Amino acid sequence: DQQVKQNSPSLSVQEGRISILNCDYTNSMFDYFLWYKKYPAEGPTFLISISSIKDKNEDGRFTVFLNKSAKHLSLHIVPSQPGDSAVYFCAAWEGGGKLIFGQGTELSVKP
Amino acid sequence: NAGVTQTPKFRVLKTGQSMTLLCAQDMNHEYMYWYRQDPGMGLRLIHYSVGEGTTAKGEVPDGYNVSRLKKQNFLLGLESAAPSQTSVYFCASSYSIGILEAFFGQGTRLTVV
């Protein structure tokens, strides 16, 4: 049973607009969440994270929101750029060192 | 600064053959992970280790074994490869406290025929 779910396999947005990527989780023991970005033929690279004691974390064009009661987090990219086109993975830390990833969402930013 | 290095980068195996994938990190990280990436399935955790000499099962451990004899190395073994193990394998490592960002290797593309 998938504990971290990204239900949208793909998302297409226009350059300059907002991209919103969503992630749901089922395990209430998760206490830290991360977003990763992956280009083809490369390993995933860290983008931004958030602790479960916060509801928002911002880094430049990237903002992650956490809604613990809904077990939902989202990544906002504003403004979106063509170079943002990649697969985005949501991940969650469970106590004891277990890091679980979602299925990924492929973002395409069109000029 | 190499970060996380995976060996080999590509491999083709015949069904029933065995092989070992090597992951090495030079960041003195306590935690290390092995994932497989398959279309539509995302990154699934195979095994992980929270320190030298320790290993634990992840989400999809069947058919794989691991060892962490040295802190900097994490080995993934396939004793009898099956076509279902055709995948891209990623190794990652991280600190255990503070910054929990995991760093990934470049991946190993394994095909079992």
Side-chain angles (χ1 to χ4, degrees), chain B residues 75-103:
Chain B
L75 279 63
L76 178 70
L78 286 73
E79 291 185 346
S80 179
S84 61
Q85 294 178 305
T86 294
S87 187
V88 180
Y89 291 85
F90 288 100
C91 175
S93 69
S94 74
Y95 290 112
S96 58
I97 57 173
I99 300 172
L100 297 179
E101 166 195 351
F103 293 82

Side-chain angles (χ1 to χ4, degrees), chain A:
Chain A
D1 188 27
Q2 196 96 18
Q3 297 185 71
V4 179
K5 299 178 183 179
Q6 295 176 256
N7 293 317
S8 298
S10 63
L11 175 68
S12 182
V13 299
Q14 286 295 126
E15 180 178 6
R17 306 294 290 269
I18 184 171
S19 295
I20 300 176
L21 296 96
N22 294 303
C23 178
D24 298 295
Y25 62 95
T26 58
N27 189 342
S28 57
M29 297 300 292
F30 290 146
D31 56 8
Y32 197 80
F33 303 89
L34 308 93
W35 283 94
Y36 280 78
K37 179 178 181 179
K38 185 183 181 303
Y39 293 118
E42 295 183 8
T45 55
F46 171 75
L47 198 56
I48 192 169
S49 62
I50 187 166
S51 166
S52 60
I53 62 173
K54 296 186 176 181
D55 55 18
K56 177 183 175 181
N57 188 28
E58 196 171 348
D59 184 2
R61 297 186 297 115
F62 303 91
T63 302
V64 56
F65 296 92
L66 175 63
N67 182 333
K68 284 186 66 178
S69 61
K71 293 190 176 68
H72 177 84
L73 64 157
S74 60
L75 175 68
H76 293 211
I77 306 174
V78 183
S80 300
Q81 300 173 353
D84 295 329
S85 296
V87 177
Y88 289 79
F89 289 100
C90 168
W93 274 99
E94 185 181 321
K98 208 169 181 180
L99 181 60
I100 303 295
F101 282 76
Q103 304 97 313
T105 297
E106 184 171 11
L107 174 65
S108 175
V109 180
K110 301 189 182 305

Side-chain angles (χ1 to χ4, degrees), chain B residues 47-108:
Chain B
H47 286 281
Y48 65 103
S49 169
V50 299
E52 182 178 318
T54 72
T55 62
K57 293 181 180 179
E59 301 169 282
V60 288
D62 294 343
Y64 305 95
N65 57 74
V66 288
S67 65
R68 184 127 179 244
L69 299 179
K70 293 183 179 180
K71 185 177 184 179
Q72 63 268 33
N73 296 337
F74 195 29
L75 279 63
L76 178 70
L78 286 73
E79 291 185 346
S80 179
S84 61
Q85 294 178 305
T86 294
S87 187
V88 180
Y89 291 85
F90 288 100
C91 175
S93 69
S94 74
Y95 290 112
S96 58
I97 57 173
I99 300 172
L100 297 179
E101 166 195 351
F103 293 82
F104 279 80
Q106 292 290 83
T108 296

